Amino acid sequence: GVGKSTVAANLALALAGDGARVGLMDLAVYGPSIPLIMGVQGMRPEVSEKANRILPVERLGIRIISFGFFVPAQEATIVRGPILAGIVRQFLNDVEWGDLDYIVVDLPPGTGDIQLSLCQMIPLTGAVVVTTPQDVALLVATKAITMFNKLQVPMLGMIENMSSFICPHCQKTTDIFGHGGARAAAHKMNIPFLGEIPLDPA
């Protein structure tokens, strides 16, 4: 609920807008929201008969794969650890990504099997941690940073999402969830602070 998927989607869109070839991999198996955010909910990837590989769904120039394509939107996902590793492996090896400059991976919260499997299967260029200013969210984010450090994944930095709300009528800024917590946490953990994103109903 801190906005990891929204940030991942917008990061992919920004990279594509700069002319990069981008893939977006949704590994938030228990709550995949990339199909809804990217406007491809209800679509199913096709399978290449020639190569027997999954063809990602394309939208706005971005190649997308999500567990959400394979399960009904209202259905609860009940999956154990070994199967999660298999999903990660399939998304990495059995999807026809083509030539890409970037693959942005949307991960579930915390420090679970999916993160561990991904880090063990491929060398990641880096991780961006998204949090809100609240102490509870920052605690989870801090654990994620510790995990990535142990797995020797470079930390690209931290983003504070929902950092404030700017009233569209009076332009007054309100810090609904507090403010500056992520900046302070990033400074304390000696990683770059990448910026603040305000709440925007649109």
Side-chain angles (χ1 to χ4, degrees):
V2 299
K4 295 179 297 300
S5 300
T6 306
V7 170
N10 279 285
L11 183 58
L13 286 162
L15 291 167
D18 275 348
R21 297 163 298 180
V22 182
L24 180 56
M25 184 190 299
D26 182 4
L27 284 177
V29 171
Y30 295 112
S33 55
I34 288 295
L36 177 62
I37 292 170
M38 292 297 294
V40 291
Q41 195 172 29
M43 296 182 71
R44 286 186 66 88
E46 295 180 4
V47 176
S48 165
E49 292 181 13
K50 189 176 180 182
N52 198 29
R53 290 167 67 80
I54 301 167
L55 301 174
V57 171
E58 289 205 32
R59 172 88 167 133
L60 302 172
I62 296 169
R63 297 170 195 172
I64 306 163
I65 198 72
S66 169
F67 192 69
F69 292 143
F70 305 101
V71 293
Q74 297 79 21
E75 191 172 302
T77 305
I78 303 169
V79 182
R80 291 188 180 275
I83 296 174
L84 293 172
I87 293 167
V88 175
R89 189 175 294 108
Q90 186 172 31
F91 281 10
L92 288 172
N93 299 327
D94 297 342
V95 174
E96 189 63 64
W97 289 109
D99 292 328
L100 295 177
D101 300 304
Y102 301 97
I103 293 185
V104 177
V105 183
D106 180 25
L107 291 169
T111 55
D113 288 317
I114 289 178
Q115 289 89 328
L116 186 59
S117 297
L118 183 68
C119 293
Q120 289 174 336
M121 288 179 198
I122 58 167
L124 300 179
T125 303
V128 174
V129 173
V130 180
T131 185
T132 57
Q134 299 138 296
D135 290 342
V136 174
L138 285 164
L139 181 63
V140 176
T142 301
K143 289 180 179 179
I145 292 165
T146 302
M147 175 198 67
F148 285 124
N149 285 337
K150 286 183 178 178
L151 296 171
Q152 297 182 324
V153 176
M155 282 305 311
L156 301 179
M158 183 183 280
I159 293 172
E160 183 174 280
N161 195 29
M162 306 183 209
S163 64
S164 59
F165 173 70
I166 303 169
C167 177
H169 306 292
C170 68
Q171 305 304 312
K172 182 182 176 183
T173 298
T174 304
D175 298 331
I176 297 173
F177 301 118
H179 192 106
R183 184 187 296 272
H187 180 73
K188 185 177 180 181
M189 299 192 77
N190 198 29
I191 64 170
F193 179 67
L194 301 177
E196 301 169 350
I197 304 174
L199 273 167
D200 185 341

